[in-house]
Amino acid sequence: MSRGSNAGFDRHITIFSPEGRLYQVEYAFKAISQSGLTSVGIRGSDCTVVVTQKKVPDKLLDSSTVTNMFKLTPLIGCVMTGHNADSRSQVHRARVEAGEWKYKFGYDITADVLCRRLADISQVYTQNAEMRPLGCCMILVAIDPQLGPVLYKCDPAGYYCGFRATAVGAKQTEANSFLEKKLKKKPALDLDKTVQLAISCLSTVLAIDFKAHELEIGIVTKDKPKFRTLTDAEIEAHLVAIAERE
Amino acid sequence: MEKHFTDSRVKGVSTGTTILAAVFDGGVVIGSDSRASIGGDYVSSKAINKLIQVHDRIFCCIAGSLADAQAVTKTAKFQLSFHSIQMENPPLVIAAASVLKELCYNNKDELQAGFITAGWDKKKGPQVYVVSLGGMLISQPVTIAGSGSTYIYGYVDAKYKVNMTREECLQFATNALALAMGRDNVSGGVVNLVVITEAGVEHIVIPGDKLPTFSDE
């Protein structure tokens, strides 16, 4: 039957296993956790926030050149979690897709369309023998002109979805449970509350007392829809606010 | 130096035109008339925009075949936005001019469009570049182009001074365009001006009846 015929290649390339699994896609998900980092994204009432850890493993590294936050268009930003090189490749592709859309159709691409496009591209990798899926996951943030603040995630399986809050990475299960609990009552979150909730999520789940330079925070707000990352001073202000609350 | 854009070889709508750009102390003024004509006989549009924004602080004015110019500036806008996102910095004015030059030079057999690129960037401040028909790129403090430009070379040579103030430069540009529009039959309409400085971009439109008049009018 099928057990003998694919001669065990189902673990090596993206073809189905007899149980109906794509092992390569599952391994891609494991690769995301390999980086050891966790990222969190939360959609507030007038803003969307993404936070990730900034781990600089080597003392010789120039930390100002290390980042996982990228601007895809002036209005759409993202945080990448997982394999660094694959992340850069996906960011580059996203930028090209966004630029070509603007050129062809004359208006800016929206975050949901861009996310869907990247997910469709990722799906192709799950069907091609000659290409492996990318070992990274992208969380996109934007202020959509019609929908307001939006948060989207696309993964190596080619699945994408909009979220109220989501986490990706090594501790994503714990972080997602934390977020589910905190957002159960559907609280109204302004910018400060959203940022501080995201930081608290990471520090609770990872049991780390963060310093400003160990975090990267990217935000989009309704009154300043351009994607930007917070400076160390701004992050410090939020950390102080969290400490004072406790 | 500049070809006459009223050549009957220019098929379709052309911008028999007058365009100019000039650097002043702290910024650059870029300006044009607003007439689009077909073959020098028929005004197809009285108020078109020949000042195309290719990035936040970089504008381009177009001369020649409108269709060619629009296609080129659209492509340049796309390439520049991608370049700027990748560099994570606003693009340099020379980058914008070079993109246009590459497009003009590599497609010189098909295209008939010339450009003046002007803008402000952090590295060199206000700059003006001209990309001519065949794809030559040079930098000048003041430059004029289009069919109407032939009538104002004398005025520009005599009246342009380096390090003018913003008001002096605006008056200079308005006078130059008004003089050209007064003599060139394929330039006319309103005067469109854009002032680009570090702080931002300001559009000024001067309708035909508010243009400066000269001794013969």
Side-chain angles (χ1 to χ4, degrees):
Chain A
M1 231 252 294
S2 52
R3 195 155 279 274
S5 61
N6 43 19
F9 284 114
D10 49 8
R11 287 184 180 273
H12 301 279
I13 54 176
T14 35
I15 54 175
F16 283 116
S17 78
E19 302 89 46
R21 295 159 69 170
L22 290 169
Y23 279 109
Q24 276 297 304
V25 176
E26 293 178 20
Y27 298 160
F29 279 93
K30 296 226 173 75
I32 299 177
S33 318
Q34 270 285 31
S35 67
L37 300 180
T38 311
S39 312
V40 166
I42 306 183
R43 191 183 74 189
S45 34
D46 61 352
C47 65
T48 318
V49 167
V50 276
V51 179
T52 186
Q53 295 171 262
K54 189 164 174 171
K55 259 202 222 160
V56 184
D58 195 336
K59 287 209 179 53
L60 291 174
L61 273 176
D62 181 354
S63 60
S64 66
T65 62
V66 174
T67 179
N68 283 320
M69 301 251 166
F70 301 95
K71 194 157 62 162
L72 303 180
T73 74
L75 299 175
I76 305 177
C78 76
V79 65
M80 299 300 301
T81 320
H83 202 233
N84 268 315
D86 286 2
S87 299
R88 298 203 94 83
S89 167
Q90 193 166 46
V91 165
H92 179 92
R93 186 63 191 270
R95 288 171 171 168
V96 169
E97 293 292 329
E100 284 184 350
W101 177 281
K102 176 84 196 264
Y103 175 72
K104 259 194 270 191
F105 302 113
Y107 70 99
D108 292 313
I109 196 171
T110 52
D112 55 332
V113 172
L114 183 57
C115 195
R116 187 190 319 144
R117 183 86 187 101
L118 293 171
D120 290 347
I121 294 166
S122 300
Q123 187 278 334
V124 173
Y125 301 153
T126 70
Q127 247 187 309
N128 263 336
E130 71 263 22
M131 279 194 291
R132 60 165 177 82
L134 295 174
C136 58
C137 190
M138 178 189 276
I139 303 179
L140 288 100
V141 294
I143 304 288
D144 185 285
Q146 264 86 42
L147 303 167
V150 292
L151 177 70
Y152 282 91
K153 181 171 80 172
C154 66
D155 62 25
Y159 175 71
Y160 88 102
C161 195
F163 288 86
R164 287 166 52 213
T166 188
V168 177
K171 295 265 181 187
Q172 68 185 41
T173 342
E174 294 92 331
N176 276 321
S177 323
F178 179 96
L179 292 169
E180 266 176 52
K181 238 187 336 195
K182 291 286 176 176
L183 292 180
K184 199 168 176 168
K185 299 236 169 74
K186 301 212 176 59
L189 296 167
D190 63 10
L191 176 63
D192 287 341
K193 286 210 190 81
T194 319
V195 173
Q196 286 159 25
L197 179 57
I199 299 175
S200 315
C201 175
L202 273 185
S203 43
T204 313
V205 154
L206 299 166
I208 300 178
D209 202 6
F210 284 111
K211 300 201 189 54
H213 63 89
E214 290 167 345
L215 284 174
E216 271 192 287
I217 306 183
I219 62 169
V220 285
T221 61
K222 268 206 184 139
D223 33 78
K224 277 204 203 149
K226 280 197 170 176
F227 177 74
R228 63 182 193 91
T229 49
L230 297 183
T231 61
D232 274 0
E234 290 170 309
I235 302 178
E236 186 60 44
H238 284 290
L239 290 170
V240 163
I242 295 174
E244 275 173 7
R245 263 204 324 233
E246 286 156 12
Chain B
M1 188 173 83
E2 285 305 318
K3 253 184 93 147
H4 275 262
F5 291 102
T6 48
D7 266 353
S8 55
R9 276 188 283 153
V10 177
K11 291 188 288 275
V13 181
S14 94
T15 59
T17 189
T18 314
I19 49 178
L20 70 71
V23 173
F24 65 90
D25 185 19
V28 62
V29 167
I30 189 168
S32 75
D33 71 310
S34 69
R35 180 173 292 180
S37 56
I38 303 186
D41 299 319
Y42 170 69
V43 175
S44 67
S45 177
K46 294 186 224 178
I48 65 157
N49 179 32
K50 301 181 194 177
L51 302 177
I52 314 284
Q53 185 166 24
V54 290
H55 208 266
D56 291 350
R57 297 277 187 284
I58 307 178
F59 274 73
C60 226
C61 39
I62 57 181
S65 153
L66 250 183
D68 288 350
Q70 285 186 344
V72 171
T73 48
K74 242 187 115 195
T75 311
K77 210 169 162 177
F78 160 64
Q79 290 185 7
L80 261 181
S81 81
F82 187 68
H83 173 70
S84 161
I85 288 260
Q86 270 203 308
M87 295 297 116
E88 296 183 12
N89 262 320
L92 300 179
V93 187
I94 180 95
S98 304
V99 165
L100 288 165
K101 178 262 292 174
E102 276 299 289
L103 291 165
C104 286
Y105 182 73
N106 291 332
N107 297 295
K108 62 160 81 184
D109 295 334
E110 283 87 28
L111 293 173
Q112 198 162 32
F115 305 89
I116 295 179
T117 309
W120 184 94
D121 65 47
K122 207 148 75 156
K123 194 166 167 189
K124 282 171 119 184
Q127 300 143 74
V128 168
Y129 294 89
V130 56
V131 177
S132 70
L133 218 57
M136 175 190 76
L137 166 65
I138 55 172
S139 169
Q140 295 181 305
V142 63
T143 191
I144 49 178
S147 59
S149 66
T150 48
Y151 306 103
I152 50 171
Y153 273 106
Y155 180 80
V156 169
D157 287 344
K159 286 292 182 180
Y160 178 75
K161 294 191 301 288
V162 180
N163 278 336
M164 284 191 281
T165 66
R166 181 179 169 278
E167 284 60 41
E168 287 172 340
C169 195
L170 276 171
Q171 192 60 59
F172 161 78
T174 313
N175 286 346
L177 287 167
L179 286 166
M181 284 155 63
R183 287 293 182 179
D184 185 24
N185 68 322
V186 284
S187 298
V190 309
V191 163
N192 282 315
L193 295 166
V194 172
V195 184
I196 309 169
T197 58
E198 177 175 8
V201 159
E202 191 194 337
H203 295 261
I204 301 170
V205 177
I206 306 175
D209 56 351
K210 301 276 193 318
L211 287 177
T213 53
F214 301 95
S215 61
D216 57 328
E217 294 168 277

